[in-house]
């Protein structure tokens, strides 16, 4: 049974109000409220039995609290990505520094230009990794990622996506064969072998839940998804992510779990 021991988060910076947004969830984030929500998020992670490394805010990068995107951390290796969003590309430097405390030098790999990849497009299902081909993650990035994974005995397959920002915006694996799917991912043949819960359209944002050691953290305000996750037998915690949602970010984006 998989268990996470560590997590890495990064405090949001004041400049988050200038972060990238599709405008799907209107409004600019309230920074003070975002900080309180981040506190609660860290608390929830601790309740799942992991240690939490909290990196300081970095005003240079408005979206840098979304630490999931500049790295993919597995049991055997760390992959520093090459984010496709230009304003986020430099986030990899401080993440790599943090990751070095947990992985030996020869287990730290890199995606390099012209390949791009963001961790939000990577969904780990045991030893298989689904990778969304998106506006942020390109074919060459996926090719490099697959070659890295192969060295460590993992497999990888591509999932094209059209409507959402990242793969995990719309689909998330909760371990034990359970998967939350929404919108364009509902009928994807790639996920046919999993036990799927189809997220109601009005709760689409809550497709982005995270499994952490048999607890599932669900965003606050999505009663149908919460009920469904409880009925799968998980312990649940809820965290309000309203200020991150305004930047198209959710629960998975806010941490690296490994
Ligand atoms: C961005 O557009 O890059 C940020 N505003 C949101 C990133 C969300 N990250 C994720 O889904 N993994």
């Amino acid at each position: 049974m998989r268990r996470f021991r560590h997590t890495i988060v990064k405090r949001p910076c004041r400049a988050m109000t200038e972060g990238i947004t599709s405008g799907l969830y209107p409004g600019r984030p309230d920074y003070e409220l975002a900080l309180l929500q981040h506190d609660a998020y860290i608390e929830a992670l601790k309740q799942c039995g992991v240690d939490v490394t909290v990196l300081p805010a970095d005003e240079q990068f408005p979206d840098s609290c979304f630490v999931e995107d500049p790295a993919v951390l597995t049991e055997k290796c760390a992959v520093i990505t090459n984010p496709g969003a230009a304003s986020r590309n430099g986030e990899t430097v401080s993440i790599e520094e943090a990751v070095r405390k947990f992985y030996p030098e020869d287990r730290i790999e890199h995606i390099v230009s012209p390949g791009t990849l963001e961790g939000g497009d990577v969904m780990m299902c045991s030893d298989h990794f689904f990778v969304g081909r998106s506006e942020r993650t390109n074919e060459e990035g996926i090719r490099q990622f697959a070659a890295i994974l192969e060295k460590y005995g993992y497999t990888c397959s591509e999932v094209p996506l059209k409507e959402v920002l990242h793969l995990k915006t719309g689909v998330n694996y909760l371990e034990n064969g359970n998967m939350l799917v929404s919108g364009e991912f509902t009928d994807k043949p790639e996920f046919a072998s999993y036990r799927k819960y189809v997220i109601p359209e009005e709760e689409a944002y809550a497709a982005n839940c995270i499994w952490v050691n048999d607890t599932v953290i669900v965003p606050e305000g999505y009663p149908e998804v919460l009920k469904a996750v409880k009925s799968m037998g998980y312990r649940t915690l809820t965290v309000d992510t309203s200020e991150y949602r305004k930047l198209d970010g959710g629960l998975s984006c806010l941490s690296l779990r490994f």
Side-chain angles (χ1 to χ4, degrees), residues 19-22 63 66 68-69 85 88 91 118-121 136 165-166 168-169 208 244 247-250 252-254:
I20 309 171
T21 176
S22 66
D63 287 292
F66 300 117
E68 176 176 70
D69 297 316
R88 303 200 56 193
E91 291 176 23
E118 294 192 359
D121 277 321
R136 305 287 183 87
L165 172 62
H166 288 125
K168 282 185 290 187
T169 311
N208 190 255
Y244 301 93
L247 300 178
D248 306 312
S252 78
C253 325
L254 288 170

Side-chain angles (χ1 to χ4, degrees), residues 205-209 217-222 225 237-241 251:
Y205 175 77
N208 190 255
C209 290
I217 309 181
V218 178
E220 200 168 296
Y222 297 91
V225 175
L237 293 172
T238 56
V239 174
D240 191 357
T241 52
L251 289 164

Side-chain angles (χ1 to χ4, degrees), residues 16-242:
M16 80 178 288
T17 54
E18 304 307 318
I20 309 171
T21 176
S22 66
L24 181 63
Y25 301 99
R28 281 276 143 195
D30 172 331
Y31 180 61
E32 299 303 326
L33 182 53
L35 282 175
L36 293 176
Q37 292 178 347
H38 205 254
D39 291 339
Y41 181 75
I42 291 170
E43 204 39 55
L45 289 176
K46 286 182 179 163
Q47 283 185 37
C48 299
V50 291
D51 62 49
V52 185
T53 297
V54 184
L55 305 178
D58 184 348
E59 293 295 340
Q60 275 188 83
F61 298 106
D63 287 292
S64 53
C65 58
F66 300 117
V67 283
E68 176 176 70
D69 297 316
V72 177
L73 304 183
T74 78
E75 275 178 354
K76 299 179 191 160
C77 66
V79 182
I80 306 302
T81 69
N82 190 26
S87 68
R88 303 200 56 193
N89 198 261
E91 291 176 23
T92 53
V93 176
S94 78
I95 286 296
E96 180 159 359
E97 256 170 51
V99 162
R100 281 185 186 284
K101 299 198 175 69
F102 297 95
Y103 291 84
E105 181 82 34
D106 63 351
R107 297 262 163 163
I108 301 181
E109 309 277 354
H110 296 84
I111 303 295
V112 294
S113 293
T116 64
L117 187 127
E118 294 192 359
D121 277 321
V122 177
M123 181 169 69
M124 177 173 65
C125 297
S126 304
D127 286 346
H128 186 76
F129 291 69
F130 290 102
V131 188
R133 184 156 159 195
S134 68
E135 291 193 354
R136 305 287 183 87
T137 296
N138 67 15
E139 188 180 4
E140 171 59 14
I142 297 174
R143 192 197 63 72
Q144 290 178 23
F145 187 61
I148 291 167
L149 292 177
E150 199 184 345
K151 286 204 301 190
Y152 295 92
Y154 296 128
T155 54
C156 170
S157 58
E158 178 181 318
V159 183
L161 56 98
K162 289 194 215 84
E163 288 160 19
V164 291
L165 172 62
H166 288 125
L167 179 67
K168 282 185 290 187
T169 311
V171 52
N172 281 273
Y173 186 52
L174 303 183
E175 305 294 320
N176 314 319
N178 294 318
M179 193 173 268
L180 300 178
V181 292
S182 70
E184 64 184 300
F185 303 110
T186 304
D187 297 317
K188 285 251 190 243
E190 288 89 335
F191 306 132
S193 65
Y194 294 92
R195 207 175 304 112
K196 293 186 287 183
Y197 171 73
V198 180
I199 304 272
E201 207 181 321
E202 63 283 6
E203 295 201 7
Y205 175 77
N208 190 255
C209 290
I210 49 172
W211 176 96
V212 189
N213 301 341
D214 271 349
T215 295
V216 174
I217 309 181
V218 178
E220 200 168 296
Y222 297 91
E224 291 303 319
V225 175
L226 183 62
K227 199 161 64 182
V229 173
K230 279 186 197 290
S231 74
M232 291 175 202
Y234 297 106
R235 177 174 91 120
T236 58
L237 293 172
T238 56
V239 174
D240 191 357
T241 52
S242 65

